[in-house]
Amino acid sequence: MQKIESTIKIGLEVHAQLTSLKSKLFCSCSSNYRGKEPNSLVCPVCLGLPGSLPVLNEKAVEYAIMAALALKCKISYKMSFFRKNYYYPDLPKNFQITQYDRAGGVPLAVNGYLFIDDQGRRKKIRISRVHLEEDPGRLVHTGPIDQSLYTLVDYNRSGITLLEIVTEPDMNSPREARIFLQKLRSVLEHLGIFDGSLEGSMRCDANISLFGGTRVEVKNITSFKEVERALSFEITRQKGLIERGGVIKRETRHWDEIRRITISLRSKEEEQEYRYFPEPDLPPIVLSSNYIEKIESNMPELPDDRLKRFITIYGLPRYDAGVLVSSKALADFFEECVKLYNKPKDVSNWMMSDLLRYLYENNLELQESKITPEKLVEMITLIDRGIISGKIAKKILPTIVVTEKTPSEIVKEEGMIKISDNEYLENLVERIFSENPKAVEDATKTEKAVHYLIGQLMKLTQGKADPSLASRIINEKLNQLRTKDKD
Ligand code: ZN
Ligand code: MN
């Protein structure tokens, strides 16, 4: 059997809401629907009432072009909207206004690419097209989709602007798919048109095939954390099926986030079933090259350029710079810290190791946490001033992340100030030496046993002994013993 990894082909179809827009794509209803009373942000247009007419949101076109330029796509100077017809409760008009690349249709942009970095390896992922379309309403199921007794519908989301980004099947592992989405999120955030921390703002469908076989589509992947899980599940499922002599069907499957499985929804519909045809209520859009050049000349700094700047201006290793720019919030946080405290590598070390690990393990976004650049810098400064040890800093970091308290307050409240009292530490060392004669003897010969003794002192002081002082006292005492031996 062929090695499976080399035959995996994954393509993504991403839907990103342009969350910075104030109003919907074809009406003036507010697009700030999260946490609002269901069906309170609606009008005849986004409810699809007869006789209502859509009017295109100009800002949406501008944002979409920014995204397409960032993804190195070829922009269409003339484009149009199409109706994609299907009947579903979240779609009151029975069609979605979208763009189409066939039957004379031209999407907003085509043929771009985005580079991803995976463990030091750079890879080009081709983008086949980028287009604008409207979001359907939101269906709220009671429990899992296949067991739900009833479903509620909220049309506040109906008509929200979506950017659809379709890739070629260039990814060869679930991990690459996750890295792609992460990078895409960072690009869109750097453009200032998208906030990926908002629930449901980036959703994705993935198609995956193994051994050059049939493509299966997985729908309803709600975040880049889920994409890796959903695709890994699908690989295991398809592989098992093939090994048992089964056949992979061309179908659409639904990712159930809670049970962490994919379930069959329907056999894949063919495109002609959607009866695409030009939207007669919206005229074709014609863009001038002037208009596009103007947008191009006002593009903000993108992650790839920011990465280069982090390397040259701050002297960061490429790996560090790559992790920091993988999220705009993270990169902004870093630069704020460096403004307050001019040791970029120290800041980056604290962010990359302890802070990110804590956020990751607790499934927290940086924006959701209580840590600020001021607080992180204050913590590092406490170490510099000899008030706390690095070890204590690691201990209080979680409290800094989840409470409003400042590092100084936490240190004071928990009595964690570093012990640099010479006499007190010397007394403790006496005790350790008399209780561990064997270790002391070893320590006069090997470095490893010295560390053991320092470790004992740290244990007795709950990590609060000043590490350099602790090591000095112990080494001095060992030196005395060594010279005594020679006498
Ligand atoms: Zn509306
Ligand atoms: Mn779509």
Side-chain angles (χ1 to χ4, degrees):
M1 212 181 204
Q2 222 175 331
K3 195 162 164 27
I4 187 164
E5 281 72 23
S6 61
T7 78
I8 297 173
K9 278 202 167 78
I10 296 168
L12 297 177
E13 190 181 304
V14 184
H15 289 97
Q17 294 178 335
L18 298 181
T19 53
S20 300
L21 291 171
K22 302 263 185 299
S23 53
K24 296 185 179 181
L25 184 54
F26 299 117
C27 62
S28 55
C29 290
S30 167
S31 55
N32 183 16
Y33 70 87
R34 289 178 177 80
K36 298 289 172 356
E37 191 192 330
N39 300 307
S40 62
L41 304 173
V42 288
C43 74
V45 173
C46 54
L47 282 177
L49 300 188
S52 62
L53 289 172
V55 177
L56 179 62
N57 182 337
E58 195 183 334
K59 203 80 188 157
V61 177
E62 185 186 323
Y63 284 180
I65 288 174
M66 287 170 75
L69 288 170
L71 297 171
K72 312 289 180 204
C73 290
K74 200 174 140 275
I75 310 283
S76 311
Y77 285 85
K78 192 175 175 205
M79 65 184 102
S80 54
F81 284 94
F82 268 63
R83 289 187 180 181
K84 179 181 182 178
N85 297 279
Y86 63 97
Y87 174 81
Y88 209 62
D90 61 6
L91 196 69
K93 298 195 295 287
N94 291 341
F95 61 84
Q96 179 193 32
I97 304 180
T98 179
Q99 297 190 294
Y100 196 41
D101 56 355
R102 271 166 249 189
V106 181
L108 184 112
V110 294
N111 295 339
Y113 59 87
L114 182 66
F115 279 106
I116 59 168
D117 289 280
D118 183 14
Q119 296 163 338
R121 210 169 43 92
R122 201 141 215 257
K123 185 169 175 179
K124 187 179 188 174
I125 307 295
R126 289 170 299 156
I127 311 278
S128 35
R129 64 172 198 273
V130 172
H131 76 229
L132 278 168
E133 63 184 31
E134 56 180 343
D135 210 348
R138 206 166 63 88
L139 295 179
V140 184
H141 307 288
T142 52
I145 192 171
D146 57 341
Q147 292 163 23
S148 187
L149 291 177
Y150 61 90
T151 298
L152 301 168
V153 60
D154 175 8
Y155 291 114
N156 283 352
R157 202 182 70 181
S158 170
I160 293 286
T161 307
L162 286 181
L163 196 64
E164 180 176 312
I165 298 149
V166 183
T167 78
E168 296 288 335
D170 288 348
M171 285 150 278
N172 303 111
S173 69
R175 194 183 63 243
E176 281 183 4
R178 173 184 39 88
I179 294 171
F180 174 84
L181 286 183
Q182 223 160 349
K183 179 74 180 273
L184 179 63
R185 170 181 171 173
S186 183
V187 168
L188 298 177
E189 288 187 337
H190 275 84
L191 291 170
I193 62 178
F194 172 72
D195 179 354
S197 70
L198 296 174
E199 193 245 316
S201 58
M202 184 181 268
R203 308 184 303 262
C204 133
D205 303 336
N207 54 70
I208 175 164
S209 70
L210 267 58
F211 307 111
T214 314
R215 276 193 316 156
V216 170
E217 191 178 17
V218 184
K219 280 195 175 287
N220 186 45
I221 304 172
T222 52
S223 73
F224 53 76
K225 285 170 200 150
E226 295 297 324
V227 80
E228 202 168 3
R229 282 188 194 136
L231 289 170
S232 300
F233 175 87
E234 213 24 49
I235 290 170
T236 312
R237 185 190 71 85
Q238 293 187 22
K239 205 176 137 208
L241 194 60
I242 293 167
E243 280 165 4
R244 291 194 305 273
V247 177
I248 307 290
K249 278 185 298 188
R250 184 164 161 83
E251 62 177 348
T252 300
R253 300 181 69 85
H254 172 94
W255 171 240
D256 186 324
E257 224 172 77
I258 303 188
R259 290 180 290 175
R260 294 196 179 165
I261 54 168
T262 64
I263 48 177
S264 182
L265 273 192
R266 53 179 181 262
S267 62
K268 174 81 186 159
E269 61 285 281
E270 297 294 329
E271 270 194 347
Q272 56 262 33
E273 289 170 22
Y274 286 125
R275 295 182 295 118
Y276 278 96
F277 65 84
E279 165 61 68
D281 291 339
L282 286 163
I285 309 156
V286 182
L287 304 171
S288 69
S289 49
N290 238 343
Y291 173 74
I292 292 175
E293 276 161 26
K294 213 169 132 198
I295 295 174
E296 198 161 19
S297 62
N298 284 314
M299 292 276 277
E301 184 183 43
L302 293 173
D304 284 349
D305 292 325
R306 200 173 195 186
L307 180 133
K308 281 183 205 140
R309 189 164 59 81
F310 277 18
I311 296 171
T312 50
I313 305 285
Y314 299 124
L316 292 186
R318 195 175 192 290
Y319 179 78
D320 292 36
V323 172
L324 292 175
V325 303
S326 70
S327 136
K328 180 169 187 290
L330 211 56
D332 289 348
F333 189 98
F334 167 77
E335 289 207 279
E336 281 304 312
C337 286
V338 173
K339 266 189 218 153
L340 301 167
Y341 181 83
N342 196 17
K343 287 186 192 162
K345 184 64 183 140
D346 285 9
V347 171
S348 145
N349 284 349
W350 277 104
M351 287 183 66
M352 306 240 317
S353 52
D354 297 85
L355 179 56
L356 280 187
R357 188 183 325 121
Y358 183 82
L359 293 174
Y360 182 79
E361 282 168 2
N362 293 279
N363 207 8
L364 270 173
E365 293 264 351
L366 181 64
Q367 297 98 306
E368 297 169 321
S369 83
K370 298 278 168 37
I371 195 162
T372 59
E374 289 75 18
K375 283 165 78 178
L376 183 68
V377 165
E378 187 188 331
M379 186 197 83
I380 304 176
T381 314
L382 288 177
I383 306 170
D384 284 353
R385 285 165 50 207
I387 294 172
I388 58 170
S389 62
K391 222 179 192 161
I392 294 292
K394 280 178 199 287
K395 238 187 225 173
I396 65 169
L397 192 64
T399 318
I400 301 176
V401 173
V402 297
T403 69
E404 303 283 352
K405 292 176 193 165
T406 68
S408 306
E409 285 166 356
I410 298 164
V411 164
K412 213 180 275 168
E413 272 174 29
E414 318 232 329
M416 281 175 151
I417 291 173
K418 196 158 75 177
I419 302 171
S420 16
D421 180 333
N422 222 358
E423 215 184 297
Y424 175 72
L425 290 181
E426 269 175 16
N427 285 334
L428 289 179
V429 170
E430 279 301 337
R431 204 177 110 195
I432 292 166
F433 272 49
S434 63
E435 283 169 7
N436 299 278
K438 173 84 177 69
V440 171
E441 205 197 314
D442 292 346
T444 57
K445 293 165 202 144
T446 75
E447 194 61 22
K448 213 174 145 198
V450 180
H451 290 310
Y452 172 80
L453 293 173
I454 296 174
Q456 291 303 305
L457 182 57
M458 285 300 177
K459 213 162 141 194
L460 274 181
T461 58
Q462 287 155 330
K464 285 186 279 186
D466 177 338
S468 58
L469 185 60
S471 139
R472 207 180 69 218
I473 293 174
I474 287 174
N475 275 306
E476 269 170 15
K477 227 172 141 46
L478 286 170
N479 274 337
Q480 285 169 10
L481 288 175
R482 286 188 195 111
T483 42
K484 223 196 239 158
D485 283 350
K486 275 181 202 148
D487 294 345

